[in-house]
Amino acid sequence: MILVTGGAGFIGANFVLDWLAQSDETVINLDKLTYAGNMENLASIADDPRHIFVQGDIGDSALMTQLLQTHQPRAVINFAAESHVDRSILGPEDFIQTNVVGTFHLLESVRAYWTAMDESAKSAFRFLHVSTDEVYGSLGPDDAPFTETTPYAPNSPYSASKAASDHLVRAYHHTYGLPVLTTNCSNNYGPLQFPEKLIPLVMMNAVAGKALPIYGDGLNVRDWLYVGDHCSAIRTVLAHGKLGEVYNVGGWNEKANIDVVKTICTMLDDLHAGSPVTPHADLITYVKDRAGHDRRYAIDATKLQRELGWMPSETFETGIRKTVAWYLANQTWVANIASGEYRHWVEKQYGSKA
Ligand code: NAD
Ligand code: DAU
């Protein structure tokens, strides 16, 4: 049995679905169901006895202790986080609360559980912390990609809170011997991503004939990885990673934002000819830049490839085509999200342009 936190969100839900497609090992899925958590993501496994969903907070020590004692998982995989950079700029407190304080309490619950185990269970146990490339800061155009030894230089409240959690995880290994693994991944895209992030936001707006907001000059670069490849990297690190080690995960797919958006527009011209506005690129609208906007991220995932044999299976071209097709086929999923609290966020972030 494994325990996953944040498994109703984008990557966590993809991970749980992929896991149960390949294994009969039960998953306990602990998620607070913040605005980003969505039970619809897990609808296909609602009646699956291998999936036990529990609504709760990683920072709730009593709940975590009870879950660990009752189910005795052999691993904890921590996806739970506040994850959107723009939200961290407008309101950092939740990020500190969940990503820093919440991770600390989770580590304490896990440490107590692990300490009480017998020696063989102790050495088999793993705590895998899912983190981000944003902890390394921003690259210039000619800088080499981030490696596992690149010094941390987080620039947003989000990345600073993730960096703090990474340091705590590292310290729990160094000080207490907790068997931890950390992954630092680049930008994910794919099915089930909340439409506050660039790719699903552009999909949702383009289909509705609304403006496609590009921050600044649109030349900021991200290194895109299909979410299924992130899930396979996490499974690989969980199975074969060396204790206490960090593994960078990336897709060797650096793209400027404007190029990503133009690619989606061209695909939509082809796949969604009935849109209110075509060509879809006519909807591209340059807007005010993000405060402190990191210019470029690029991940060197050579260590994961060389030591553990992982490689992504999607190129950006195959992955984005699948993703565009998924959003077109799942308009009800998008419509169910695009209401309530989310509409309030769009008004706050994009004002009258929304
Ligand atoms: P997401 O925002 O889609 O999902 C986060 C999930 O965590 C939600 O289901 C939410 O309800 C849950 N959650 C939030 N606070 C919680 C708490 N206190 N206790 C329990 N559950 C809580 O995020 P995502 O994009 O799926 O990211 C998952 C993880 O991967 C995060 O740790 C993020 O930092 C990391 N990551 C994301 C990306 C990316 O491109 N999205 C890339 C690299 C790393
Ligand atoms: O690099 C990994 C990180 O990728 C993860 O740790 C984060 O959880 C995840 O949200 C993502 O962060 P980014 O800030 O890179 O992703 P986002 O989709 O918000 O933005 C991608 C790029 O697109 C970024 O340069 C900002 C830009 N952008 C974003 C939005 C929402 C726009 O130009 N317009 C927009 O409306």
Side-chain angles (χ1 to χ4, degrees), residues 69-83:
Q69 296 296 352
T70 307
H71 298 287
Q72 302 276 313
R74 68 169 177 95
V76 172
I77 305 169
N78 184 32
F79 292 93
E82 290 293 336
S83 70

Side-chain angles (χ1 to χ4, degrees), residues 122-187:
K122 237 176 161 173
S123 63
F125 183 78
R126 299 287 180 271
F127 179 89
L128 192 153
H129 180 61
V130 179
S131 193
T132 170
D133 61 357
E134 301 203 9
V135 296
Y136 298 120
S138 184
L139 293 168
D142 301 320
D143 290 340
F146 304 128
T147 69
E148 289 79 0
T149 55
T150 302
Y152 273 31
N155 289 319
S156 71
Y158 163 70
S159 53
S161 68
K162 290 295 290 187
S165 67
D166 293 6
H167 289 324
L168 283 169
V169 170
R170 178 192 149 87
Y172 271 62
H173 176 70
H174 189 84
T175 305
Y176 305 112
L178 192 70
V180 308
L181 299 155
T182 299
T183 54
N184 290 88
C185 188
S186 63
N187 284 62

Side-chain angles (χ1 to χ4, degrees), residues 62-142:
L63 172 65
M64 290 314 305
T65 300
Q66 180 245 314
L67 279 179
L68 292 164
Q69 296 296 352
T70 307
H71 298 287
Q72 302 276 313
R74 68 169 177 95
V76 172
I77 305 169
N78 184 32
F79 292 93
E82 290 293 336
S83 70
H84 191 36
V85 174
D86 292 323
R87 285 185 191 257
S88 84
I89 295 167
L90 283 182
E93 192 166 347
D94 287 348
F95 289 73
I96 305 306
Q97 206 49 50
T98 282
N99 302 359
V100 187
V101 181
T103 304
F104 160 69
H105 285 302
L106 177 64
L107 281 164
E108 279 292 87
S109 306
V110 169
R111 179 166 77 91
Y113 166 65
W114 175 76
T115 305
M117 283 176 174
D118 67 41
E119 284 311 312
S120 83
K122 237 176 161 173
S123 63
F125 183 78
R126 299 287 180 271
F127 179 89
L128 192 153
H129 180 61
V130 179
S131 193
T132 170
D133 61 357
E134 301 203 9
V135 296
Y136 298 120
S138 184
L139 293 168
D142 301 320

Side-chain angles (χ1 to χ4, degrees), residues 11 82-86 131-135 158-159 162 185-188 193 195-202 212-216 218 220-224 257-258 261 287 289-290 293-295 297 345 349-350:
I11 304 172
E82 290 293 336
S83 70
H84 191 36
V85 174
D86 292 323
S131 193
T132 170
D133 61 357
E134 301 203 9
V135 296
Y158 163 70
S159 53
K162 290 295 290 187
C185 188
S186 63
N187 284 62
N188 283 214
Q193 189 168 28
E196 63 189 353
K197 310 281 165 61
L198 179 68
I199 289 178
L201 178 83
V202 162
L212 310 181
I214 307 284
Y215 297 163
N220 300 68
V221 170
R222 297 293 182 265
D223 185 349
W224 295 95
N257 293 337
I258 188 65
V261 174
V287 300
D289 208 355
R290 172 184 281 175
H293 196 174
D294 283 341
R295 192 61 172 170
Y297 304 141
W345 162 253
Q349 174 67 5
Y350 300 99

Side-chain angles (χ1 to χ4, degrees), residues 15 121 144:
F15 181 84

